[in-house]
Amino acid sequence: EAGRGRVGLLDGVFGGLVESTRDIFADPDDDVPAATRLRLVLLRDGGLNAEDDTDEPLAVEERRADAVQTLAERRGVRCDVVTAEGGSALERLASLVAVPDFASVYLALAHGLDPMAVPAITEMKELANQ
């Protein structure tokens, strides 16, 4: 459901508005940390028969995803597209899930965190056992 309820983030403080707060007179060599920027990752699956455009809901979702990507580019928000691969629906789903799953584990390890530890769940279990 590309764009529903979240496309407004492209205009937020991490999206298009970050440029409006930039001081055009600031020295670019100053050691001021760069503002946090939004980065969009679109997970695209054209379906098993992408060239067969008879499935209307699929065609609508593909046009929405294209529109979201265009909006992001117009606002200077970096956009990466991960496209499903595989010959079956399960393979295509796995190819889309594997990328963000690997990235989240890699980032957790890079920051010295245990990717399997979820403090909120541990705390919830402790509270439920009281």
Side-chain angles (χ1 to χ4, degrees):
E1 213 176 359
R4 289 244 182 208
R6 291 173 187 70
V7 74
L9 295 172
L10 297 174
D11 288 328
V13 294
F14 298 116
L17 286 180
V18 77
E19 287 300 315
S20 67
T21 61
R22 187 174 60 97
D23 182 4
I24 62 171
F25 299 108
D27 185 0
D29 293 329
D30 283 346
D31 289 336
V32 178
T36 300
R37 292 295 311 258
L38 185 66
R39 182 178 200 116
L40 178 65
V41 178
L42 285 176
L43 302 177
R44 303 285 300 259
D45 179 18
L48 294 175
N49 297 319
E51 63 278 350
D52 184 17
D53 202 11
T54 58
D55 188 10
E56 182 60 28
L58 177 63
V60 170
E61 290 301 320
E62 288 297 313
R63 286 195 305 269
R64 282 187 185 148
D66 289 337
V68 169
Q69 187 173 359
T70 300
L71 286 171
E73 290 167 354
R74 287 181 181 172
R75 285 156 175 77
V77 173
R78 292 176 293 177
C79 184
D80 293 311
V81 178
V82 178
T83 305
E85 299 174 359
S88 71
L90 183 58
E91 288 176 323
R92 297 176 73 75
L93 175 64
S95 73
L96 292 175
V97 171
V99 173
D101 186 52
F102 174 79
S104 65
V105 170
Y106 182 83
L107 287 171
L109 293 174
H111 288 301
L113 302 172
D114 178 2
M116 298 304 292
V118 181
I121 291 176
T122 304
E123 188 176 349
M124 180 190 69
K125 288 178 181 178
E126 290 171 358
L127 290 171
N129 290 331
Q130 291 180 355

PDB file of all heavy atoms in Angstrom, residues 82-115:
ATOM      1  N   VAL A  82      14.255  -2.019  -3.716  1.00  0.00           N
ATOM      2  CA  VAL A  82      14.602  -3.430  -3.637  1.00  0.00           C
ATOM      3  C   VAL A  82      13.498  -4.172  -4.385  1.00  0.00           C
ATOM      4  O   VAL A  82      12.327  -4.073  -4.026  1.00  0.00           O
ATOM      5  CB  VAL A  82      14.697  -3.914  -2.173  1.00  0.00           C
ATOM      6  CG1 VAL A  82      15.017  -5.398  -2.119  1.00  0.00           C
ATOM      7  CG2 VAL A  82      15.736  -3.112  -1.409  1.00  0.00           C
ATOM      8  N   THR A  83      13.889  -4.887  -5.425  1.00  0.00           N
ATOM      9  CA  THR A  83      12.918  -5.574  -6.265  1.00  0.00           C
ATOM     10  C   THR A  83      12.929  -7.065  -5.960  1.00  0.00           C
ATOM     11  O   THR A  83      13.991  -7.673  -5.827  1.00  0.00           O
ATOM     12  CB  THR A  83      13.255  -5.347  -7.758  1.00  0.00           C
ATOM     13  OG1 THR A  83      13.330  -3.936  -7.990  1.00  0.00           O
ATOM     14  CG2 THR A  83      12.195  -5.932  -8.659  1.00  0.00           C
ATOM     15  N   ALA A  84      11.740  -7.636  -5.857  1.00  0.00           N
ATOM     16  CA  ALA A  84      11.601  -9.063  -5.554  1.00  0.00           C
ATOM     17  C   ALA A  84      12.198  -9.904  -6.666  1.00  0.00           C
ATOM     18  O   ALA A  84      12.136  -9.552  -7.844  1.00  0.00           O
ATOM     19  CB  ALA A  84      10.132  -9.410  -5.369  1.00  0.00           C
ATOM     20  N   GLU A  85      12.776 -11.027  -6.261  1.00  0.00           N
ATOM     21  CA  GLU A  85      13.337 -11.983  -7.210  1.00  0.00           C
ATOM     22  C   GLU A  85      12.815 -13.369  -6.872  1.00  0.00           C
ATOM     23  O   GLU A  85      12.544 -13.661  -5.710  1.00  0.00           O
ATOM     24  CB  GLU A  85      14.861 -11.984  -7.118  1.00  0.00           C
ATOM     25  CG  GLU A  85      15.502 -10.661  -7.453  1.00  0.00           C
ATOM     26  CD  GLU A  85      16.997 -10.665  -7.211  1.00  0.00           C
ATOM     27  OE1 GLU A  85      17.531 -11.700  -6.761  1.00  0.00           O
ATOM     28  OE2 GLU A  85      17.625  -9.642  -7.461  1.00  0.00           O
ATOM     29  N   GLY A  86      12.692 -14.204  -7.871  1.00  0.00           N
ATOM     30  CA  GLY A  86      12.279 -15.584  -7.633  1.00  0.00           C
ATOM     31  C   GLY A  86      11.131 -15.997  -8.514  1.00  0.00           C
ATOM     32  O   GLY A  86      10.432 -15.156  -9.093  1.00  0.00           O
ATOM     33  N   GLY A  87      10.935 -17.309  -8.591  1.00  0.00           N
ATOM     34  CA  GLY A  87       9.913 -17.850  -9.472  1.00  0.00           C
ATOM     35  C   GLY A  87       8.599 -18.165  -8.802  1.00  0.00           C
ATOM     36  O   GLY A  87       7.625 -18.486  -9.466  1.00  0.00           O
ATOM     37  N   SER A  88       8.563 -18.091  -7.464  1.00  0.00           N
ATOM     38  CA  SER A  88       7.301 -18.354  -6.767  1.00  0.00           C
ATOM     39  C   SER A  88       7.033 -17.195  -5.802  1.00  0.00           C
ATOM     40  O   SER A  88       7.926 -16.411  -5.486  1.00  0.00           O
ATOM     41  CB  SER A  88       7.376 -19.667  -5.989  1.00  0.00           C
ATOM     42  OG  SER A  88       8.239 -19.530  -4.868  1.00  0.00           O
ATOM     43  N   ALA A  89       5.811 -17.148  -5.323  1.00  0.00           N
ATOM     44  CA  ALA A  89       5.440 -16.079  -4.393  1.00  0.00           C
ATOM     45  C   ALA A  89       6.273 -16.139  -3.119  1.00  0.00           C
ATOM     46  O   ALA A  89       6.696 -15.111  -2.585  1.00  0.00           O
ATOM     47  CB  ALA A  89       3.952 -16.160  -4.064  1.00  0.00           C
ATOM     48  N   LEU A  90       6.548 -17.343  -2.625  1.00  0.00           N
ATOM     49  CA  LEU A  90       7.342 -17.495  -1.408  1.00  0.00           C
ATOM     50  C   LEU A  90       8.783 -17.025  -1.617  1.00  0.00           C
ATOM     51  O   LEU A  90       9.355 -16.341  -0.763  1.00  0.00           O
ATOM     52  CB  LEU A  90       7.323 -18.950  -0.931  1.00  0.00           C
ATOM     53  CG  LEU A  90       8.059 -19.231   0.369  1.00  0.00           C
ATOM     54  CD1 LEU A  90       7.486 -18.390   1.511  1.00  0.00           C
ATOM     55  CD2 LEU A  90       7.996 -20.708   0.714  1.00  0.00           C
ATOM     56  N   GLU A  91       9.368 -17.373  -2.742  1.00  0.00           N
ATOM     57  CA  GLU A  91      10.728 -16.914  -3.049  1.00  0.00           C
ATOM     58  C   GLU A  91      10.786 -15.393  -3.153  1.00  0.00           C
ATOM     59  O   GLU A  91      11.723 -14.765  -2.674  1.00  0.00           O
ATOM     60  CB  GLU A  91      11.227 -17.516  -4.360  1.00  0.00           C
ATOM     61  CG  GLU A  91      11.566 -18.981  -4.295  1.00  0.00           C
ATOM     62  CD  GLU A  91      11.951 -19.547  -5.649  1.00  0.00           C
ATOM     63  OE1 GLU A  91      11.360 -19.137  -6.675  1.00  0.00           O
ATOM     64  OE2 GLU A  91      12.855 -20.390  -5.680  1.00  0.00           O
ATOM     65  N   ARG A  92       9.777 -14.809  -3.760  1.00  0.00           N
ATOM     66  CA  ARG A  92       9.744 -13.359  -3.930  1.00  0.00           C
ATOM     67  C   ARG A  92       9.607 -12.668  -2.570  1.00  0.00           C
ATOM     68  O   ARG A  92      10.261 -11.675  -2.301  1.00  0.00           O
ATOM     69  CB  ARG A  92       8.627 -12.970  -4.889  1.00  0.00           C
ATOM     70  CG  ARG A  92       8.845 -13.541  -6.290  1.00  0.00           C
ATOM     71  CD  ARG A  92       7.703 -13.249  -7.222  1.00  0.00           C
ATOM     72  NE  ARG A  92       7.701 -11.855  -7.622  1.00  0.00           N
ATOM     73  CZ  ARG A  92       8.551 -11.322  -8.494  1.00  0.00           C
ATOM     74  NH1 ARG A  92       9.475 -12.064  -9.044  1.00  0.00           N
ATOM     75  NH2 ARG A  92       8.476 -10.046  -8.810  1.00  0.00           N
ATOM     76  N   LEU A  93       8.762 -13.203  -1.711  1.00  0.00           N
ATOM     77  CA  LEU A  93       8.612 -12.647  -0.368  1.00  0.00           C
ATOM     78  C   LEU A  93       9.925 -12.763   0.406  1.00  0.00           C
ATOM     79  O   LEU A  93      10.369 -11.804   1.037  1.00  0.00           O
ATOM     80  CB  LEU A  93       7.483 -13.368   0.385  1.00  0.00           C
ATOM     81  CG  LEU A  93       7.314 -12.960   1.846  1.00  0.00           C
ATOM     82  CD1 LEU A  93       6.914 -11.495   1.956  1.00  0.00           C
ATOM     83  CD2 LEU A  93       6.296 -13.844   2.526  1.00  0.00           C
ATOM     84  N   ALA A  94      10.549 -13.922   0.340  1.00  0.00           N
ATOM     85  CA  ALA A  94      11.820 -14.132   1.043  1.00  0.00           C
ATOM     86  C   ALA A  94      12.895 -13.178   0.549  1.00  0.00           C
ATOM     87  O   ALA A  94      13.696 -12.659   1.338  1.00  0.00           O
ATOM     88  CB  ALA A  94      12.277 -15.577   0.883  1.00  0.00           C
ATOM     89  N   SER A  95      12.917 -12.903  -0.756  1.00  0.00           N
ATOM     90  CA  SER A  95      13.937 -11.993  -1.286  1.00  0.00           C
ATOM     91  C   SER A  95      13.730 -10.564  -0.788  1.00  0.00           C
ATOM     92  O   SER A  95      14.688  -9.811  -0.651  1.00  0.00           O
ATOM     93  CB  SER A  95      13.943 -12.021  -2.819  1.00  0.00           C
ATOM     94  OG  SER A  95      12.820 -11.352  -3.357  1.00  0.00           O
ATOM     95  N   LEU A  96      12.497 -10.193  -0.478  1.00  0.00           N
ATOM     96  CA  LEU A  96      12.229  -8.853   0.053  1.00  0.00           C
ATOM     97  C   LEU A  96      12.467  -8.780   1.555  1.00  0.00           C
ATOM     98  O   LEU A  96      12.923  -7.763   2.068  1.00  0.00           O
ATOM     99  CB  LEU A  96      10.791  -8.428  -0.263  1.00  0.00           C
ATOM    100  CG  LEU A  96      10.480  -8.178  -1.725  1.00  0.00           C
ATOM    101  CD1 LEU A  96       8.999  -7.875  -1.907  1.00  0.00           C
ATOM    102  CD2 LEU A  96      11.325  -7.046  -2.284  1.00  0.00           C
ATOM    103  N   VAL A  97      12.167  -9.848   2.274  1.00  0.00           N
ATOM    104  CA  VAL A  97      12.334  -9.866   3.729  1.00  0.00           C
ATOM    105  C   VAL A  97      13.808  -9.977   4.107  1.00  0.00           C
ATOM    106  O   VAL A  97      14.250  -9.398   5.101  1.00  0.00           O
ATOM    107  CB  VAL A  97      11.509 -11.019   4.346  1.00  0.00           C
ATOM    108  CG1 VAL A  97      11.835 -11.209   5.808  1.00  0.00           C
ATOM    109  CG2 VAL A  97      10.022 -10.758   4.150  1.00  0.00           C
ATOM    110  N   ALA A  98      14.594 -10.685   3.322  1.00  0.00           N
ATOM    111  CA  ALA A  98      15.995 -10.945   3.656  1.00  0.00           C
ATOM    112  C   ALA A  98      16.822  -9.672   3.739  1.00  0.00           C
ATOM    113  O   ALA A  98      17.677  -9.543   4.618  1.00  0.00           O
ATOM    114  CB  ALA A  98      16.604 -11.904   2.638  1.00  0.00           C
ATOM    115  N   VAL A  99      16.588  -8.723   2.867  1.00  0.00           N
ATOM    116  CA  VAL A  99      17.422  -7.511   2.832  1.00  0.00           C
ATOM    117  C   VAL A  99      17.264  -6.668   4.103  1.00  0.00           C
ATOM    118  O   VAL A  99      18.253  -6.386   4.781  1.00  0.00           O
ATOM    119  CB  VAL A  99      17.133  -6.679   1.558  1.00  0.00           C
ATOM    120  CG1 VAL A  99      17.854  -5.349   1.597  1.00  0.00           C
ATOM    121  CG2 VAL A  99      17.547  -7.464   0.321  1.00  0.00           C
ATOM    122  N   PRO A 100      16.050  -6.250   4.495  1.00  0.00           N
ATOM    123  CA  PRO A 100      15.952  -5.457   5.726  1.00  0.00           C
ATOM    124  C   PRO A 100      16.292  -6.267   6.980  1.00  0.00           C
ATOM    125  O   PRO A 100      16.816  -5.713   7.949  1.00  0.00           O
ATOM    126  CB  PRO A 100      14.506  -4.970   5.751  1.00  0.00           C
ATOM    127  CG  PRO A 100      13.772  -5.812   4.780  1.00  0.00           C
ATOM    128  CD  PRO A 100      14.771  -6.327   3.799  1.00  0.00           C
ATOM    129  N   ASP A 101      16.041  -7.572   6.962  1.00  0.00           N
ATOM    130  CA  ASP A 101      16.384  -8.405   8.106  1.00  0.00           C
ATOM    131  C   ASP A 101      17.898  -8.435   8.290  1.00  0.00           C
ATOM    132  O   ASP A 101      18.405  -8.239   9.399  1.00  0.00           O
ATOM    133  CB  ASP A 101      15.833  -9.817   7.915  1.00  0.00           C
ATOM    134  CG  ASP A 101      16.025 -10.682   9.140  1.00  0.00           C
ATOM    135  OD1 ASP A 101      15.635 -10.233  10.242  1.00  0.00           O
ATOM    136  OD2 ASP A 101      16.569 -11.791   9.003  1.00  0.00           O
ATOM    137  N   PHE A 102      18.639  -8.665   7.227  1.00  0.00           N
ATOM    138  CA  PHE A 102      20.098  -8.663   7.293  1.00  0.00           C
ATOM    139  C   PHE A 102      20.608  -7.295   7.735  1.00  0.00           C
ATOM    140  O   PHE A 102      21.498  -7.199   8.589  1.00  0.00           O
ATOM    141  CB  PHE A 102      20.700  -9.032   5.934  1.00  0.00           C
ATOM    142  CG  PHE A 102      22.193  -8.904   5.893  1.00  0.00           C
ATOM    143  CD1 PHE A 102      23.001  -9.887   6.440  1.00  0.00           C
ATOM    144  CD2 PHE A 102      22.790  -7.785   5.333  1.00  0.00           C
ATOM    145  CE1 PHE A 102      24.382  -9.772   6.413  1.00  0.00           C
ATOM    146  CE2 PHE A 102      24.173  -7.659   5.314  1.00  0.00           C
ATOM    147  CZ  PHE A 102      24.965  -8.653   5.859  1.00  0.00           C
ATOM    148  N   ALA A 103      20.038  -6.230   7.160  1.00  0.00           N
ATOM    149  CA  ALA A 103      20.489  -4.876   7.507  1.00  0.00           C
ATOM    150  C   ALA A 103      20.267  -4.570   8.981  1.00  0.00           C
ATOM    151  O   ALA A 103      21.136  -3.974   9.629  1.00  0.00           O
ATOM    152  CB  ALA A 103      19.764  -3.848   6.638  1.00  0.00           C
ATOM    153  N   SER A 104      19.137  -4.978   9.541  1.00  0.00           N
ATOM    154  CA  SER A 104      18.867  -4.678  10.948  1.00  0.00           C
ATOM    155  C   SER A 104      19.824  -5.433  11.867  1.00  0.00           C
ATOM    156  O   SER A 104      20.312  -4.879  12.849  1.00  0.00           O
ATOM    157  CB  SER A 104      17.414  -4.996  11.304  1.00  0.00           C
ATOM    158  OG  SER A 104      17.162  -6.377  11.204  1.00  0.00           O
ATOM    159  N   VAL A 105      20.124  -6.690  11.546  1.00  0.00           N
ATOM    160  CA  VAL A 105      21.077  -7.457  12.353  1.00  0.00           C
ATOM    161  C   VAL A 105      22.474  -6.865  12.224  1.00  0.00           C
ATOM    162  O   VAL A 105      23.187  -6.686  13.214  1.00  0.00           O
ATOM    163  CB  VAL A 105      21.066  -8.950  11.944  1.00  0.00           C
ATOM    164  CG1 VAL A 105      22.210  -9.711  12.605  1.00  0.00           C
ATOM    165  CG2 VAL A 105      19.731  -9.580  12.302  1.00  0.00           C
ATOM    166  N   TYR A 106      22.870  -6.529  11.021  1.00  0.00           N
ATOM    167  CA  TYR A 106      24.193  -5.946  10.769  1.00  0.00           C
ATOM    168  C   TYR A 106      24.359  -4.635  11.531  1.00  0.00           C
ATOM    169  O   TYR A 106      25.382  -4.394  12.180  1.00  0.00           O
ATOM    170  CB  TYR A 106      24.372  -5.721   9.262  1.00  0.00           C
ATOM    171  CG  TYR A 106      25.709  -5.180   8.886  1.00  0.00           C
ATOM    172  CD1 TYR A 106      26.807  -6.028   8.733  1.00  0.00           C
ATOM    173  CD2 TYR A 106      25.902  -3.816   8.670  1.00  0.00           C
ATOM    174  CE1 TYR A 106      28.048  -5.531   8.384  1.00  0.00           C
ATOM    175  CE2 TYR A 106      27.136  -3.313   8.319  1.00  0.00           C
ATOM    176  CZ  TYR A 106      28.209  -4.179   8.177  1.00  0.00           C
ATOM    177  OH  TYR A 106      29.433  -3.681   7.828  1.00  0.00           O
ATOM    178  N   LEU A 107      23.355  -3.771  11.473  1.00  0.00           N
ATOM    179  CA  LEU A 107      23.430  -2.487  12.183  1.00  0.00           C
ATOM    180  C   LEU A 107      23.471  -2.674  13.691  1.00  0.00           C
ATOM    181  O   LEU A 107      24.194  -1.966  14.390  1.00  0.00           O
ATOM    182  CB  LEU A 107      22.251  -1.593  11.791  1.00  0.00           C
ATOM    183  CG  LEU A 107      22.325  -0.988  10.402  1.00  0.00           C
ATOM    184  CD1 LEU A 107      21.009  -0.303  10.051  1.00  0.00           C
ATOM    185  CD2 LEU A 107      23.477  -0.006  10.303  1.00  0.00           C
ATOM    186  N   ALA A 108      22.696  -3.614  14.208  1.00  0.00           N
ATOM    187  CA  ALA A 108      22.716  -3.875  15.649  1.00  0.00           C
ATOM    188  C   ALA A 108      24.107  -4.321  16.081  1.00  0.00           C
ATOM    189  O   ALA A 108      24.656  -3.809  17.066  1.00  0.00           O
ATOM    190  CB  ALA A 108      21.683  -4.941  16.007  1.00  0.00           C
ATOM    191  N   LEU A 109      24.693  -5.251  15.360  1.00  0.00           N
ATOM    192  CA  LEU A 109      26.030  -5.728  15.701  1.00  0.00           C
ATOM    193  C   LEU A 109      27.067  -4.620  15.569  1.00  0.00           C
ATOM    194  O   LEU A 109      27.981  -4.511  16.391  1.00  0.00           O
ATOM    195  CB  LEU A 109      26.410  -6.919  14.823  1.00  0.00           C
ATOM    196  CG  LEU A 109      25.591  -8.189  15.052  1.00  0.00           C
ATOM    197  CD1 LEU A 109      25.947  -9.251  14.024  1.00  0.00           C
ATOM    198  CD2 LEU A 109      25.772  -8.709  16.464  1.00  0.00           C
ATOM    199  N   ALA A 110      26.925  -3.781  14.552  1.00  0.00           N
ATOM    200  CA  ALA A 110      27.863  -2.677  14.356  1.00  0.00           C
ATOM    201  C   ALA A 110      27.808  -1.671  15.503  1.00  0.00           C
ATOM    202  O   ALA A 110      28.803  -1.023  15.823  1.00  0.00           O
ATOM    203  CB  ALA A 110      27.580  -1.967  13.028  1.00  0.00           C
ATOM    204  N   HIS A 111      26.641  -1.558  16.142  1.00  0.00           N
ATOM    205  CA  HIS A 111      26.480  -0.636  17.278  1.00  0.00           C
ATOM    206  C   HIS A 111      26.665  -1.333  18.619  1.00  0.00           C
ATOM    207  O   HIS A 111      26.393  -0.752  19.671  1.00  0.00           O
ATOM    208  CB  HIS A 111      25.115   0.042  17.222  1.00  0.00           C
ATOM    209  CG  HIS A 111      24.997   1.052  16.127  1.00  0.00           C
ATOM    210  ND1 HIS A 111      25.814   2.150  16.033  1.00  0.00           N
ATOM    211  CD2 HIS A 111      24.161   1.116  15.069  1.00  0.00           C
ATOM    212  CE1 HIS A 111      25.490   2.855  14.960  1.00  0.00           C
ATOM    213  NE2 HIS A 111      24.498   2.245  14.356  1.00  0.00           N
ATOM    214  N   GLY A 112      27.116  -2.578  18.583  1.00  0.00           N
ATOM    215  CA  GLY A 112      27.374  -3.309  19.817  1.00  0.00           C
ATOM    216  C   GLY A 112      26.123  -3.761  20.543  1.00  0.00           C
ATOM    217  O   GLY A 112      26.144  -3.953  21.758  1.00  0.00           O
ATOM    218  N   LEU A 113      25.045  -3.945  19.827  1.00  0.00           N
ATOM    219  CA  LEU A 113      23.785  -4.384  20.431  1.00  0.00           C
ATOM    220  C   LEU A 113      23.526  -5.844  20.110  1.00  0.00           C
ATOM    221  O   LEU A 113      23.972  -6.356  19.088  1.00  0.00           O
ATOM    222  CB  LEU A 113      22.629  -3.536  19.899  1.00  0.00           C
ATOM    223  CG  LEU A 113      22.730  -2.029  20.120  1.00  0.00           C
ATOM    224  CD1 LEU A 113      21.624  -1.320  19.369  1.00  0.00           C
ATOM    225  CD2 LEU A 113      22.672  -1.714  21.602  1.00  0.00           C
ATOM    226  N   ASP A 114      22.791  -6.499  20.997  1.00  0.00           N
ATOM    227  CA  ASP A 114      22.355  -7.861  20.735  1.00  0.00           C
ATOM    228  C   ASP A 114      21.084  -7.775  19.891  1.00  0.00           C
ATOM    229  O   ASP A 114      20.051  -7.290  20.366  1.00  0.00           O
ATOM    230  CB  ASP A 114      22.079  -8.578  22.059  1.00  0.00           C
ATOM    231  CG  ASP A 114      21.576 -10.006  21.861  1.00  0.00           C
ATOM    232  OD1 ASP A 114      21.466 -10.457  20.705  1.00  0.00           O
ATOM    233  OD2 ASP A 114      21.300 -10.656  22.879  1.00  0.00           O
ATOM    234  N   PRO A 115      21.128  -8.223  18.643  1.00  0.00           N
ATOM    235  CA  PRO A 115      19.953  -8.082  17.779  1.00  0.00           C
ATOM    236  C   PRO A 115      18.750  -8.901  18.224  1.00  0.00           C
ATOM    237  O   PRO A 115      17.637  -8.653  17.785  1.00  0.00           O
ATOM    238  CB  PRO A 115      20.455  -8.540  16.406  1.00  0.00           C
ATOM    239  CG  PRO A 115      21.664  -9.344  16.667  1.00  0.00           C
ATOM    240  CD  PRO A 115      22.244  -8.863  17.953  1.00  0.00           C
TER     241      PRO A 115
END
